[in-house]
Amino acid sequence: MLVVVVVYNLLIKANNTELRQDSEAISLQVEKYFLPFERMVEQLALDEDVQTILTTTKAGQRMRYTRRY
């Protein structure tokens, strides 16, 4: 009986380790996928016209109805 419990615990631990490693690998893949988009947004955030539109557009208002658009 003790052997069964030890083997079971080892299997659970191995499974948890594998799940954690898979999760970390997927997380890195998602990060790599979104990296180019993150860079584009960073560049857009520096644009003066974009900043103006974002600060002058009211909640619920369409951007095309702002003065700067």
Side-chain angles (χ1 to χ4, degrees):
M1 180 68 175
L2 180 61
V3 173
V4 172
V5 172
V6 170
V7 170
Y8 178 77
N9 285 337
L10 287 174
L11 287 173
I12 294 292
K13 185 176 179 181
N15 190 35
N16 287 343
T17 300
E18 183 181 1
L19 287 172
R20 184 178 43 76
Q21 290 172 342
D22 289 348
S23 174
E24 289 172 0
I26 291 170
S27 177
L28 287 174
Q29 289 175 352
V30 169
E31 184 179 340
K32 285 181 183 179
Y33 176 81
F34 282 109
L35 190 61
F37 302 108
E38 184 179 339
R39 300 231 190 280
M40 284 189 275
V41 169
E42 288 171 350
Q43 290 299 314
L44 282 171
L46 298 174
D47 187 278
E48 200 172 300
D49 289 333
V50 172
Q51 289 177 3
T52 301
I53 287 174
L54 292 176
T55 56
T56 58
T57 304
K58 297 174 184 161
Q61 181 183 19
R62 294 181 183 212
M63 281 197 254
R64 66 178 168 205
Y65 297 128
T66 61
R67 289 178 286 154
R68 293 285 299 212
Y69 188 77

